[in-house]
Each structure stands twice: as C-alpha cells, then as structure tokens.
Amino acid sequence: MRTTTPTTPHIRGRWRRVGSAAAATAALLVAGFGTAAHATAATATTTHKVSAKAIAAQVAKAHVQYEKAGCGATPKKGFAACDALRVTGGTTAFMEKQAALKGVTPKTVKPNAASDSPTGYGPSDLQSAYGLTSAASSNGSGETVAIVDAYDDPNAASDLATYRSYYGLSDCTTGNGCFKKVSQTGSTTSLPSADSGWAGEISLDLDMVSATCPNCNILLVEAKSASDANLGTAVNEAVKLGAKFVSNSYGGSESSSDTSYDTSYYKHAGVAITASAGDEGYGAEYPAASRYVTAVGGTALKTSSNSRGWTESVWKTSSTEGTGSGCSAYDAKPTWQTDTGCTKRMIADVSAVADPATGVSVYDSYGADGTGWNTYGGTSASSPIIASVYALAGTPGSSDYPAQYPYAAAGTSALNDVTSGNNGSCSTSYFCTAKSGYDGPTGWGTPEGTDAFTG
C-alpha cells in the first residue's frame, strides 16, 4: 500500500450499501448461474417459489462493513502491505438471496465470528465469469502456482482442505504432493513466526488458486517479514523450487531502489509473475510497477442477462479505496507496452474481481482476523486468479516474460474489455478511467478463457 496520506477516513467501521450486488444477484437467479455448493446450501432447507423481483427487493437490503486485513496497514519504507479487504459485518448480497430463496430472515456476518457457510463467490462463479469452466476441469495438472506472502499461517493446510472439500474439489495436501509450504530459504520445518493478518491473506491466495485452477499444485513460500528484500527472496525461492507461476498479493510505495529489485527478484524469464495493483485508488505501487511482472488491477464483477452472464466495471469504493493504477516514476517501459501517455511502465496489464461488495469466499481459521468463512476483496484476490489463469494456459516459453502475452491478444475475444468506471481523477484520462481498449485500472481487460495468457 502506498504511503500517501488518505484524504478521507479509513473504511473501518463504515457501513456500505451494495446496490450493485443486489441487481447482480437477481440476474443470477434469472440466468441460472451459481455454484453447485451454493445451490446445495440454498436448498438445505425447504425452498419457496419467489419472483426475481422479490429476490431483488430482498437483496437490495444488503449492506456490509469491511476493513483492511491485518496485514494491510501502510508500510514503512522498504516494506510492503497486503492488498486484501475483509468483510466483517452486515449482510452480503449472497446471504440476502439465500434468505429469500428459503423464505427466512437473513443472517448477518458479525465481526470476527465464524460463519458456517460461504458468503461470496465460489469456484464455479469465477470459472463461469472468466470462461474457464472447461479449462479448469481439464488443464493444470503438473503445473505449480506459487504464492508468496509474509509470515506463517499455521492452519494453511487444514484451511485449504476445508475450502476444497466444501466446493467438491480434489484433495490438495502435503501427503499427496499437491500442497507444499516452505520458508524463504526452502525449509519445511524452520518457518517464520505466525501472523493473523497475513494468515488471512494466505488463505485468500490459496483459495483463489484452488477456485481457478483446481488441478494445479500449490507452493506457499513464506517470507520471514514483509520487507521488500525478504519477499523478493521468497519469489526467488519459488522459482528455484520450480514454480512457473508466482503470485504476489502485496505492494508498497515506489522508490529509486525498484529497478535494482527488478533484476534481483522479479526478472525470471519463462515464469509468469503477477502482482496486485493496490487497493488505495489511483496511484502506482511496487512490485506491480516492475516491467517483469503482470500488474493486475481490480473490477466489480456482477451477474447479467447478457450472453456472457456477467458484467464488470472498475472497482472503486471511494476516493481512497479502489484498484490501483498509474504511470511508474522509476521503472522503464517494456517494449511490448505501447500506450503513449506514459513514458515509463504503466499499471495495470489485466484485471479480475476485487470489489469487496462482489467479493470471494475464503476459509480462514487462524487468529483474530476472522475465523470460518469470510468474504474478501482487494487486488489480493485478482493477482492469484490471474496467476492461475496463466497456469491453465500452460508453461510459458523459456525465454519469455509472460506479462507481454495479453498484449498480443489485445482487442480480441480472449479478453473482456472493461469500459466503465474509474479509480480516481487524473490529468491523463486513461490512467484512471476505463475506456474501450487499454486503460490503467483494468489494463486490456479480464480473461475470457486462457488464450490471452499463452505465448
């Protein structure tokens, strides 16, 4: 997260209406979308015949409270924060829809209280939204997606098992070789100290890989602190251990050291490295600004009656809360990036869901940052989703920097062009405002299948 001082109060304790999610949920019922597990949860008790109009009216009452995850505080120089937002209270649109189907009073999410079932998007929702249902079923075997985070999540393996079991995904355990957790030095026994906030981030990352690429192996590399150097060392370890796809759901303010960090930690030919664009609205952060990574912006993802079944816009909650974007102050522009308003590296390249109001379900049981099912948003969700799409697309060319792949597919049906919304105000419009074609907040758009993520 950048170190600029916000001009509005922090979102902690603020209640928000989720009107956009209300319309989305009504459309979901009409279009027939949803996960099998969600459908099971909805029909666990007697269902009632109810019109789409009635459900929309019920869902319109949805309101949530959310906050930065415990790892999201503004970092000091040379350190990074996670880009995760966690719903802590109120009634989500999904919960309102379930209540309407059952003909009961909706429950509420209470701060730091366990929920016994999901309250956000699940695997089949994400696979449907991004045209990945077929690929997620048949691709990914033998590929390893690495997640880089700081500190240890002692419950990572068991929480991952709970998430996958609920959604009917195959087991991914240490025992069967699917899941591995190591320190930044590669040790499986000498791990960093545990941290509740980063544990929530880790759960979010692991669950998004599971949701997007359920056949993939998962490598969790835990840095001993959130310093740029330790996180970068963890990236190197992930690559050393054979991961061809590495997600980084963290960031900090840009600095003159970034170009040296580029070559020390993020320059890995043949490896798809993704990084969150940030959660504080318009403005660049690092490592998303690295020319060697795929910078991932965030959208609000809503169901629709159109042929795709979904629509997206730039995620923005307020003037200081939304996807990051911008023109780097230090990193050189890669040759494959051709926008003319920014002479250096432009953020972002592509995007995926990040709005907490249309957030994703996560299971996390460690510490005070929420125990049980949570709904998360932030570009911490979009980065592992995109890393997993790369994995579904197959191993990158050995000499390639895969951040260039979406540019070769620019303007084609392989990407969903996001053309509405903004994440702030800026003198160069496309830096912060969506338009047809390339723009800063969403890059070239969101995945529609895997064709834009292969060489």
Side-chain angles (χ1 to χ4, degrees), residues 308-321:
R308 179 188 170 196
W310 304 85
T311 61
E312 290 177 276
S313 58
V314 176
W315 164 45
K316 177 187 178 184
T317 302
S318 74
S319 61
T320 58
E321 301 153 8

Side-chain angles (χ1 to χ4, degrees), residues 72-94:
T74 301
K76 61 184 180 181
K77 185 177 180 180
F79 284 73
C82 68
D83 287 317
L85 298 171
R86 183 174 65 88
V87 173
T88 57
T91 305
T92 68
F94 178 77

Side-chain angles (χ1 to χ4, degrees), residues 122-134 136-137 169 210-214:
S124 65
D125 299 305
L126 297 175
Q127 293 168 22
S128 168
Y130 296 124
L132 300 171
T133 302
S134 177
S137 175
L169 305 178
S210 296
T212 310
C213 187

